[in-house]
């Protein structure tokens, strides 16, 4: 959950904590140079109330909270200034405007996703994948389709990746995991009970977990070996379609595949070509661009 959402949904806060939360929402990035004492004074509370709120939100203290809050605000203010991820077009737009809006959404989503990339995390994720006997991709919803594409690409270069849309099978995979296995779990909210159960199963084992999830703080991130954040711009229900979430997920998986491929480029390319020729020996092309040398 985003910190801003947690501050707004303050039903479990005391009156003093609500006062601090409201002040933080009002201050936004102006909190940068404000001390805990100054914040307490501005909200007519105490430093202990400020610290309690930070702890309740899952942070060690005010400074830890402030760092993450400023990072989140910077993210929210970057990109997507010309287009709404939830409503990239409206009912009065003509066909050309709709098409251009979706194209712009793709570009903005790619930029937004790249702004969240930590190269060291991708290096670690690829290392985990290389050292794994089996890679399981677990997801609920349309991210499953992105997982299928990723699995197909990895299997074509000889790496065993398993994807299933059967919830029973997903549970069994996570519960019966082997030490040499790794899991890629894709979840936008990180709050779905079924997904949390999968993560808990993997966390109890010696398997590695690569988590693709939204920006913000949640408990499941602490259980992952690597966290790869996806674009986080969409409401849960009020949107035309989950365009940016799917685009971002597919881009992250494409980057993982590409980094894995590059690690053993010549051998992977050779294996992929051999598999393609054996699997589709009669495939022909009439366009010169497609014709093999």
């Amino acid at each position: 959950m985003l910190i801003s959402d947690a501050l707004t949904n303050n039903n479990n806060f005391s009156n003093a904590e609500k006062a601090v939360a409201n002040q933080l929402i009002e201050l936004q990035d102006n909190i940068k140079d404000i001390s805990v004492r100054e914040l307490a004074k501005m909200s007519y509370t105490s430093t202990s109330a400020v610290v309690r709120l930070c702890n309740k939100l899952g942070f060690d203290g005010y400074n830890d909270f402030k760092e993450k809050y400023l990072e989140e605000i910077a993210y929210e203010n970057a990109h997507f200034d010309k287009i709404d991820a939830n409503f990239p077009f409206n009912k009065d737009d003509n066909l050309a405007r709709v098409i251009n809006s979706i194209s712009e959404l793709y570009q903005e989503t790619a930029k937004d996703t790249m702004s969240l990339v930590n190269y060291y995390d991708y290096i670690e994720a690829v290392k985990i994948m290389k050292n794994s006997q089996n890679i399981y991709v677990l997801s609920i919803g349309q991210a499953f389709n992105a997982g299928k594409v990723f699995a197909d690409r990895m299997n074509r270069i000889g790496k065993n990746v398993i994807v299933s849309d059967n919830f029973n099978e997903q549970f069994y995979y996570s519960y019966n995991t082997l030490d040499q296995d790794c899991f890629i779990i894709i979840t936008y909210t990180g709050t779905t009970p079924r997904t949390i159960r999968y993560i808990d199963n993997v966390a109890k084992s010696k398997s590695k977990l690569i988590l693709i999830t939204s920006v913000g703080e949640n408990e499941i991130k602490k259980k992952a070996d690597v966290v790869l954040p996806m674009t986080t711009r969409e409401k849960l229900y009020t949107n035309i379609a989950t365009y940016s979430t799917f685009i971002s997920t597919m881009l992250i998986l494409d980057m993982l595949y590409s980094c894995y491929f590059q690690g053993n480029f010549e051998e992977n390319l050779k294996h992929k070509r051999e598999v393609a020729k054996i699997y589709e020996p009669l495939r022909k092309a009439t366009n010169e661009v497609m014709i093999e040398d």
Side-chain angles (χ1 to χ4, degrees):
M1 177 184 288
L2 293 173
I3 298 171
S4 55
D5 291 338
L7 292 173
T8 303
N9 303 325
N10 56 19
N11 295 330
N12 65 332
F13 295 169
S14 67
N15 289 334
E17 290 164 355
K18 287 181 181 180
V20 177
N22 292 335
Q23 189 62 54
L24 288 167
I25 293 170
E26 182 180 337
L27 286 168
Q28 292 288 301
D29 54 0
N30 290 322
I31 191 180
K32 181 179 180 181
D33 299 316
I34 293 175
S35 68
V36 63
R37 284 190 173 83
E38 289 171 325
L39 179 59
K41 184 177 180 179
M42 295 172 73
S43 58
Y44 300 98
T45 60
S46 63
T47 56
S48 60
V50 174
V51 174
R52 279 200 309 273
L53 174 63
C54 295
N55 293 156
K56 189 169 286 188
L57 294 173
F59 299 96
D60 295 332
Y62 175 67
N63 289 332
D64 182 29
F65 164 84
K66 183 163 71 170
E67 179 184 350
K68 297 297 183 182
Y69 189 41
L70 287 170
E71 286 178 3
E72 181 182 296
I73 291 170
Y75 168 72
E76 289 181 328
N77 291 336
H79 310 295
F80 284 90
D81 54 342
K82 296 179 181 178
I83 196 163
D84 184 344
N86 296 290
F87 295 96
F89 58 89
N90 61 55
K91 64 178 181 179
D92 298 320
D93 286 344
N94 59 29
L95 184 142
R97 178 57 188 156
V98 172
I99 290 173
N100 287 323
S101 295
I102 297 304
S103 174
E104 187 174 354
L105 178 62
Y106 266 65
Q107 295 174 61
E108 285 298 308
T109 300
K111 292 177 185 176
D112 200 50
T113 303
M114 287 305 300
S115 73
L116 298 169
V117 168
N118 181 321
Y119 293 106
Y120 293 105
D121 288 336
Y122 278 79
I123 291 171
E124 183 62 26
V126 172
K127 186 187 300 182
I128 289 172
M129 290 162 56
K130 284 182 177 179
N131 293 332
S132 298
Q133 182 175 336
N134 301 300
I135 300 173
Y136 294 90
V137 181
L138 307 184
S139 65
I140 296 172
Q142 69 170 350
F144 165 75
N145 295 316
K148 282 184 66 178
V149 174
F150 172 75
D152 181 76
R153 289 174 178 167
M154 293 293 287
N155 286 323
R156 283 173 184 264
I157 59 174
K159 189 65 177 182
N160 193 35
V161 177
I162 301 155
V163 182
S164 173
D165 60 353
N166 184 295
F167 293 148
N168 289 341
E169 289 182 350
Q170 289 192 15
F171 174 80
Y172 300 146
Y173 293 150
S174 67
Y175 189 83
N176 297 322
T177 176
L178 301 175
D179 293 352
Q180 300 88 352
D181 293 339
C182 94
F183 286 77
I184 299 175
I185 296 183
I186 307 167
T187 172
Y188 186 55
T189 65
T191 59
T192 308
R194 194 185 301 275
T195 304
I196 292 173
R197 198 172 185 186
Y198 299 157
I199 291 170
D200 286 341
N201 285 344
V202 176
K204 292 175 184 176
S205 71
K206 294 183 180 179
S207 298
K208 298 293 185 178
L209 171 57
I210 300 168
L211 182 64
I212 301 175
T213 191
S214 58
V215 173
E217 300 303 309
N218 56 49
E219 288 299 315
I220 63 172
K221 288 185 176 181
K222 298 175 183 177
K223 299 177 182 179
D225 295 282
V226 177
V227 177
L228 305 177
M230 67 171 74
T231 290
T232 310
R233 302 286 177 174
E234 293 170 350
K235 302 294 184 184
L236 290 182
Y237 307 111
T238 310
N239 56 60
I240 292 175
T242 53
Y243 294 114
S244 67
T245 304
F246 183 80
I247 296 165
S248 184
T249 300
M250 195 68 251
L251 178 55
I252 291 169
L253 291 174
D254 276 349
M255 290 190 291
L256 280 179
Y257 165 75
S258 300
C259 291
Y260 184 93
F261 190 104
Q262 190 275 337
N264 198 0
F265 193 96
E266 294 297 337
E267 185 174 326
N268 287 331
L269 180 59
K270 180 182 177 182
H271 191 282
K272 183 179 180 297
R273 293 180 68 175
E274 288 176 351
V275 169
K277 288 179 180 179
I278 294 171
Y279 182 65
E280 301 171 308
L282 302 179
R283 195 178 187 194
K284 296 180 179 180
T286 56
N287 189 318
E288 282 191 22
V289 173
M290 303 179 192
I291 297 173
E292 295 277 343
D293 294 333

